[in-house]
Amino acid sequence: MKEFATLKKEILDHVKIVFIDIDGTLTDDNEEVSNENIVSIKKLVYFGYKVVLCTGRSNLYTVRKSIDANASEYVITSNGSHVYNYLKNESIYIDDIAFNTSVDMLNYCNDNKLSIIMNGVTKRYKNAFSNKYSAIDKEHKRYKGGFSIDINESDDAIIYDANIIVGEKISQYIVTSDDYNAMSSLKAFVELNNELKVLYLSPNFKQGIIGAEELYRFDITPINANKGVGVAKLLEYLNMSKADAMAFGDGYNDISMFNACGYKIAMGIAV
Protein backbone atom coordinates (compact mmCIF):
# COMPACT_ATOMS: atom_id res chain seq x y z
CA MET A 1 0.00 0.00 0.00
CA LYS A 2 2.41 2.63 -1.22
CA GLU A 3 -0.48 5.08 -1.27
CA PHE A 4 -0.46 5.21 2.51
CA ALA A 5 3.11 6.48 2.65
CA THR A 6 2.11 9.56 0.64
CA LEU A 7 -0.67 10.67 2.98
CA LYS A 8 -0.22 13.95 4.78
CA LYS A 9 0.13 14.00 8.55
CA GLU A 10 -2.85 16.30 8.99
CA ILE A 11 -5.06 13.61 7.45
CA LEU A 12 -3.59 10.81 9.56
CA ASP A 13 -4.09 12.87 12.69
CA HIS A 14 -7.87 12.59 12.15
CA VAL A 15 -7.95 8.86 11.35
CA LYS A 16 -8.59 6.19 13.97
CA ILE A 17 -9.51 3.20 11.84
CA VAL A 18 -8.45 1.95 8.40
CA PHE A 19 -10.56 -0.42 6.28
CA ILE A 20 -8.73 -2.44 3.62
CA ASP A 21 -10.13 -4.55 0.80
CA ILE A 22 -8.31 -7.86 0.27
CA ASP A 23 -8.24 -8.83 -3.41
CA GLY A 24 -6.20 -6.41 -5.49
CA THR A 25 -5.53 -4.17 -2.49
CA LEU A 26 -4.02 -6.17 0.36
CA THR A 27 -2.99 -9.25 -1.65
CA ASP A 28 -1.30 -9.84 -4.99
CA ASP A 29 -2.38 -12.07 -7.89
CA ASN A 30 -1.20 -15.12 -5.91
CA GLU A 31 -3.37 -14.09 -2.94
CA GLU A 32 -0.27 -13.35 -0.85
CA VAL A 33 0.22 -10.40 1.50
CA SER A 34 3.48 -8.66 0.61
CA ASN A 35 6.12 -7.92 3.22
CA GLU A 36 5.65 -4.24 2.43
CA ASN A 37 1.97 -4.43 3.35
CA ILE A 38 2.69 -6.43 6.49
CA VAL A 39 5.18 -3.80 7.64
CA SER A 40 2.76 -0.95 6.86
CA ILE A 41 -0.06 -2.58 8.81
CA LYS A 42 2.22 -3.39 11.76
CA LYS A 43 3.16 0.29 11.94
CA LEU A 44 -0.48 1.37 11.82
CA VAL A 45 -1.46 -0.99 14.63
CA TYR A 46 1.62 -0.01 16.68
CA PHE A 47 0.65 3.67 16.47
CA GLY A 48 -2.89 2.91 17.66
CA TYR A 49 -4.91 2.63 14.46
CA LYS A 50 -7.47 -0.12 14.03
CA VAL A 51 -6.86 -1.97 10.75
CA VAL A 52 -9.86 -3.95 9.52
CA LEU A 53 -10.09 -6.16 6.45
CA CYS A 54 -13.34 -5.55 4.56
CA THR A 55 -14.10 -8.06 1.83
CA GLY A 56 -16.52 -10.26 -0.05
CA ARG A 57 -14.62 -13.31 1.16
CA SER A 58 -15.66 -15.74 3.89
CA ASN A 59 -14.96 -15.33 7.60
CA LEU A 60 -12.42 -18.14 7.73
CA TYR A 61 -10.39 -16.88 4.78
CA THR A 62 -10.48 -13.29 6.02
CA VAL A 63 -9.44 -14.15 9.56
CA ARG A 64 -6.43 -16.01 8.19
CA LYS A 65 -5.43 -13.05 6.04
CA SER A 66 -5.97 -10.66 8.95
CA ILE A 67 -3.64 -12.72 11.13
CA ASP A 68 -1.09 -12.99 8.29
CA ALA A 69 -1.16 -9.21 7.88
CA ASN A 70 -1.00 -8.45 11.63
CA ALA A 71 -4.26 -6.50 11.35
CA SER A 72 -6.79 -5.87 14.13
CA GLU A 73 -9.20 -8.41 15.57
CA TYR A 74 -12.23 -7.23 13.59
CA VAL A 75 -13.15 -8.35 10.07
CA ILE A 76 -16.01 -7.41 7.75
CA THR A 77 -16.89 -10.28 5.43
CA SER A 78 -19.48 -11.48 2.90
CA ASN A 79 -19.64 -8.00 1.35
CA GLY A 80 -20.66 -6.35 4.60
CA SER A 81 -23.17 -8.96 5.75
CA HIS A 82 -21.02 -10.01 8.71
CA VAL A 83 -18.92 -8.03 11.19
CA TYR A 84 -16.89 -10.35 13.40
CA ASN A 85 -14.40 -10.18 16.28
CA TYR A 86 -12.33 -13.31 15.86
CA LEU A 87 -10.46 -13.00 19.15
CA LYS A 88 -13.76 -13.15 21.03
CA ASN A 89 -15.56 -15.35 18.47
CA GLU A 90 -18.29 -12.71 18.51
CA SER A 91 -20.58 -11.65 15.68
CA ILE A 92 -21.04 -7.92 16.15
CA TYR A 93 -23.48 -7.76 13.26
CA ILE A 94 -24.82 -10.38 10.87
CA ASP A 95 -27.46 -10.01 8.18
CA ASP A 96 -28.19 -13.71 7.81
CA ILE A 97 -30.37 -15.33 5.19
CA ALA A 98 -33.48 -17.29 6.14
CA PHE A 99 -33.03 -21.08 6.26
CA ASN A 100 -35.88 -21.71 3.81
CA THR A 101 -34.27 -19.33 1.32
CA SER A 102 -30.99 -21.25 1.60
CA VAL A 103 -32.82 -24.53 1.02
CA ASP A 104 -34.47 -23.10 -2.11
CA MET A 105 -31.13 -21.80 -3.38
CA LEU A 106 -29.38 -25.10 -2.71
CA ASN A 107 -32.09 -27.06 -4.50
CA TYR A 108 -32.01 -24.67 -7.46
CA CYS A 109 -28.23 -24.97 -7.80
CA ASN A 110 -28.30 -28.75 -7.49
CA ASP A 111 -31.08 -29.06 -10.07
CA ASN A 112 -29.14 -26.84 -12.51
CA LYS A 113 -25.68 -28.27 -11.76
CA LEU A 114 -24.31 -25.02 -10.38
CA SER A 115 -21.61 -24.79 -7.74
CA ILE A 116 -22.79 -23.01 -4.61
CA ILE A 117 -20.76 -22.05 -1.55
CA MET A 118 -22.55 -20.67 1.51
CA ASN A 119 -20.62 -18.48 3.94
CA GLY A 120 -21.31 -19.39 7.54
CA VAL A 121 -19.84 -17.96 10.73
CA THR A 122 -16.87 -20.30 11.16
CA LYS A 123 -16.94 -22.36 7.97
CA ARG A 124 -18.28 -22.53 4.44
CA TYR A 125 -20.76 -25.04 3.11
CA LYS A 126 -20.67 -26.21 -0.52
CA ASN A 127 -22.55 -28.60 -2.75
CA ALA A 128 -20.97 -31.48 -4.65
CA PHE A 129 -20.78 -29.49 -7.89
CA SER A 130 -18.15 -27.23 -6.31
CA ASN A 131 -15.66 -30.08 -6.71
CA LYS A 132 -16.14 -29.88 -10.48
CA TYR A 133 -14.04 -26.72 -10.55
CA SER A 134 -11.46 -27.52 -7.88
CA ALA A 135 -9.17 -29.31 -10.35
CA ILE A 136 -9.21 -26.47 -12.89
CA ASP A 137 -5.96 -24.52 -12.80
CA LYS A 138 -5.78 -20.76 -12.40
CA GLU A 139 -5.23 -20.14 -16.11
CA HIS A 140 -8.69 -21.49 -16.74
CA LYS A 141 -10.31 -19.67 -13.83
CA ARG A 142 -10.14 -16.52 -15.90
CA TYR A 143 -8.22 -14.40 -13.41
CA LYS A 144 -7.90 -11.95 -16.31
CA GLY A 145 -11.60 -11.35 -15.73
CA GLY A 146 -10.81 -9.81 -12.37
CA PHE A 147 -11.83 -12.48 -9.89
CA SER A 148 -10.79 -15.78 -8.40
CA ILE A 149 -13.13 -18.71 -7.90
CA ASP A 150 -12.07 -19.47 -4.32
CA ILE A 151 -13.30 -23.08 -4.52
CA ASN A 152 -11.56 -24.83 -1.63
CA GLU A 153 -10.91 -24.09 2.01
CA SER A 154 -9.67 -26.78 4.36
CA ASP A 155 -12.69 -26.56 6.67
CA ASP A 156 -15.38 -26.59 3.98
CA ALA A 157 -18.34 -28.89 4.60
CA ILE A 158 -20.11 -30.65 1.74
CA ILE A 159 -23.89 -30.18 1.82
CA TYR A 160 -25.47 -33.52 1.01
CA ASP A 161 -28.58 -32.56 2.95
CA ALA A 162 -29.90 -29.10 3.85
CA ASN A 163 -30.18 -30.20 7.47
CA ILE A 164 -26.44 -29.64 7.81
CA ILE A 165 -27.02 -25.87 7.82
CA VAL A 166 -29.87 -25.87 10.33
CA GLY A 167 -28.98 -23.30 12.97
CA GLU A 168 -26.10 -21.87 10.92
CA LYS A 169 -26.13 -18.18 10.06
CA ILE A 170 -25.52 -17.94 6.32
CA SER A 171 -24.52 -14.47 5.15
CA GLN A 172 -23.68 -14.94 1.46
CA TYR A 173 -23.77 -17.37 -1.45
CA ILE A 174 -21.05 -17.68 -4.09
CA VAL A 175 -22.36 -19.42 -7.20
CA THR A 176 -20.06 -20.55 -10.00
CA SER A 177 -20.60 -22.23 -13.35
CA ASP A 178 -19.14 -22.50 -16.83
CA ASP A 179 -22.68 -22.33 -18.27
CA TYR A 180 -23.55 -18.75 -19.21
CA ASN A 181 -27.23 -19.51 -19.85
CA ALA A 182 -27.61 -21.29 -16.52
CA MET A 183 -26.13 -18.29 -14.74
CA SER A 184 -28.49 -15.96 -16.62
CA SER A 185 -31.42 -18.06 -15.42
CA LEU A 186 -30.05 -17.94 -11.87
CA LYS A 187 -29.89 -14.16 -12.02
CA ALA A 188 -33.57 -14.05 -12.97
CA PHE A 189 -34.38 -16.53 -10.17
CA VAL A 190 -32.64 -14.37 -7.56
CA GLU A 191 -34.38 -11.24 -8.80
CA LEU A 192 -37.73 -12.87 -7.97
CA ASN A 193 -36.68 -13.14 -4.31
CA ASN A 194 -37.19 -9.92 -2.37
CA GLU A 195 -34.69 -11.08 0.30
CA LEU A 196 -31.67 -11.44 -2.01
CA LYS A 197 -29.66 -9.60 -4.65
CA VAL A 198 -26.76 -10.41 -6.95
CA LEU A 199 -24.25 -7.94 -5.56
CA TYR A 200 -21.33 -9.01 -7.76
CA LEU A 201 -21.27 -10.47 -11.27
CA SER A 202 -17.94 -11.57 -12.71
CA PRO A 203 -16.72 -9.25 -15.50
CA ASN A 204 -16.88 -11.96 -18.16
CA PHE A 205 -20.58 -12.47 -17.41
CA LYS A 206 -21.33 -8.73 -17.50
CA GLN A 207 -19.49 -8.47 -20.83
CA GLY A 208 -21.40 -11.43 -22.28
CA ILE A 209 -18.22 -13.42 -23.00
CA ILE A 210 -19.16 -17.00 -23.83
CA GLY A 211 -16.50 -19.66 -24.26
CA ALA A 212 -15.60 -23.22 -23.38
CA GLU A 213 -13.01 -22.11 -20.82
CA GLU A 214 -15.02 -19.36 -19.15
CA LEU A 215 -16.15 -19.57 -15.54
CA TYR A 216 -18.76 -17.16 -14.20
CA ARG A 217 -19.28 -16.13 -10.59
CA PHE A 218 -22.04 -14.35 -8.67
CA ASP A 219 -21.87 -13.09 -5.09
CA ILE A 220 -25.45 -13.25 -3.78
CA THR A 221 -26.17 -11.37 -0.57
CA PRO A 222 -29.08 -10.18 1.56
CA ILE A 223 -30.95 -7.40 -0.22
CA ASN A 224 -29.55 -4.58 1.94
CA ALA A 225 -25.97 -5.82 2.19
CA ASN A 226 -22.88 -3.92 1.09
CA LYS A 227 -19.48 -3.14 2.56
CA GLY A 228 -20.64 0.32 3.64
CA VAL A 229 -23.27 -1.21 5.91
CA GLY A 230 -20.66 -3.37 7.60
CA VAL A 231 -18.33 -0.38 8.04
CA ALA A 232 -21.13 1.71 9.56
CA LYS A 233 -22.06 -1.09 11.98
CA LEU A 234 -18.48 -1.46 13.21
CA LEU A 235 -18.00 2.29 13.55
CA GLU A 236 -21.15 2.47 15.66
CA TYR A 237 -19.96 -0.45 17.80
CA LEU A 238 -16.58 1.22 18.37
CA ASN A 239 -18.18 4.62 19.04
CA MET A 240 -16.41 6.12 16.04
CA SER A 241 -17.68 8.29 13.22
CA LYS A 242 -17.30 8.42 9.47
CA ALA A 243 -14.76 11.21 9.95
CA ASP A 244 -12.51 8.80 11.88
CA ALA A 245 -12.34 6.25 9.06
CA MET A 246 -10.18 5.70 6.00
CA ALA A 247 -10.69 3.07 3.29
CA PHE A 248 -8.42 1.43 0.72
CA GLY A 249 -10.03 -0.42 -2.18
CA ASP A 250 -9.97 -1.12 -5.88
CA GLY A 251 -13.34 -2.47 -6.99
CA TYR A 252 -16.98 -1.55 -7.58
CA ASN A 253 -18.01 -3.28 -4.37
CA ASP A 254 -15.68 -0.90 -2.50
CA ILE A 255 -17.70 2.20 -3.45
CA SER A 256 -20.11 1.76 -0.53
CA MET A 257 -17.12 1.33 1.80
CA PHE A 258 -15.66 4.58 0.45
CA ASN A 259 -18.96 6.36 1.01
CA ALA A 260 -19.01 5.20 4.65
CA CYS A 261 -15.53 6.63 5.35
CA GLY A 262 -14.33 10.20 5.60
CA TYR A 263 -11.11 9.45 3.73
CA LYS A 264 -10.74 7.04 0.85
CA ILE A 265 -7.89 5.85 -1.35
CA ALA A 266 -8.57 4.10 -4.66
CA MET A 267 -5.62 1.86 -5.48
CA GLY A 268 -3.67 2.34 -8.69
CA ILE A 269 -5.40 -0.62 -10.36
CA ALA A 270 -8.89 0.46 -9.33
CA VAL A 271 -11.70 -0.26 -11.79
Side-chain angles (χ1 to χ4, degrees), residues 10-268:
E10 53 264 35
I11 293 178
L12 295 179
D13 285 344
H14 293 286
V15 172
K16 297 178 182 177
I17 187 167
V18 178
F19 296 95
I20 304 175
D21 170 53
I22 292 183
D23 297 285
T25 303
L26 177 70
T27 59
D28 58 24
D29 290 342
N30 295 316
E31 300 184 15
E32 298 294 332
V33 183
S34 69
N35 287 333
E36 179 184 33
N37 284 349
I38 291 173
V39 169
S40 295
I41 291 171
K42 271 188 174 180
K43 287 180 178 178
L44 288 172
V45 173
Y46 177 80
F47 285 110
Y49 298 92
K50 292 289 187 185
V51 179
V52 178
L53 303 191
C54 185
T55 178
R57 298 276 195 163
S58 69
N59 253 22
L60 187 61
Y61 180 93
T62 308
V63 168
R64 288 170 176 163
K65 289 302 178 187
S66 182
I67 293 170
D68 287 347
N70 294 287
S72 302
E73 68 271 30
Y74 304 101
V75 292
I76 299 174
T77 62
S78 295
N79 282 299
S81 298
H82 195 184
V83 182
Y84 183 65
N85 180 328
Y86 56 86
L87 292 184
K88 295 183 177 180
N89 189 25
E90 175 188 13
S91 291
I92 295 165
Y93 165 77
I94 185 165
D95 186 2
D96 56 313
I97 301 167
F99 172 73
N100 288 340
T101 300
S102 291
V103 172
D104 290 343
M105 183 63 64
L106 176 63
N107 290 337
Y108 184 93
C109 289
N110 285 340
D111 291 345
N112 291 277
K113 299 181 179 180
L114 304 174
S115 160
I116 184 168
I117 295 171
M118 299 182 174
N119 288 351
V121 174
T122 58
K123 65 172 60 179
R124 304 187 317 170
Y125 301 85
K126 65 183 184 181
N127 67 351
F129 292 103
S130 297
N131 292 328
K132 174 181 178 181
Y133 302 109
S134 61
I136 301 176
D137 62 28
K138 289 185 178 181
E139 286 76 18
H140 293 94
K141 287 183 181 176
R142 285 299 178 257
Y143 275 63
K144 70 179 185 180
F147 70 98
S148 63
I149 299 299
D150 190 21
I151 291 296
N152 285 318
E153 289 182 3
S154 59
D155 296 290
D156 286 347
I158 299 292
I159 310 173
Y160 294 109
D161 186 308
N163 287 328
I164 197 172
I165 58 171
V166 170
E168 178 64 278
K169 292 184 180 295
I170 302 295
S171 55
Q172 180 174 257
Y173 312 130
I174 302 95
V175 180
T176 305
S177 177
D178 55 5
D179 187 333
Y180 183 90
N181 291 330
M183 293 296 277
S184 296
S185 297
L186 171 67
K187 183 173 180 291
F189 176 76
V190 172
E191 288 170 349
L192 292 174
N193 188 310
N194 59 12
E195 186 182 349
L196 301 174
K197 67 180 176 184
V198 181
L199 185 144
Y200 171 88
L201 303 89
S202 58
N204 54 353
F205 181 87
K206 290 194 291 186
Q207 295 165 18
I209 299 172
I210 300 175
E213 295 183 340
E214 296 294 331
L215 291 179
Y216 311 98
R217 186 188 109 197
F218 292 172
D219 288 0
I220 300 171
T221 67
I223 192 73
N224 295 315
N226 60 61
K227 288 186 178 183
V229 170
V231 168
K233 294 293 184 181
L234 183 56
L235 289 176
E236 180 182 15
Y237 176 82
L238 295 173
N239 197 27
M240 294 183 185
S241 70
K242 176 178 179 178
D244 297 321
M246 173 178 286
F248 288 82
D250 73 318
Y252 291 112
N253 66 338
D254 294 322
I255 293 174
S256 62
M257 176 175 69
F258 286 163
N259 291 338
C261 295
Y263 305 93
K264 62 274 298 182
I265 304 293
M267 305 303 288

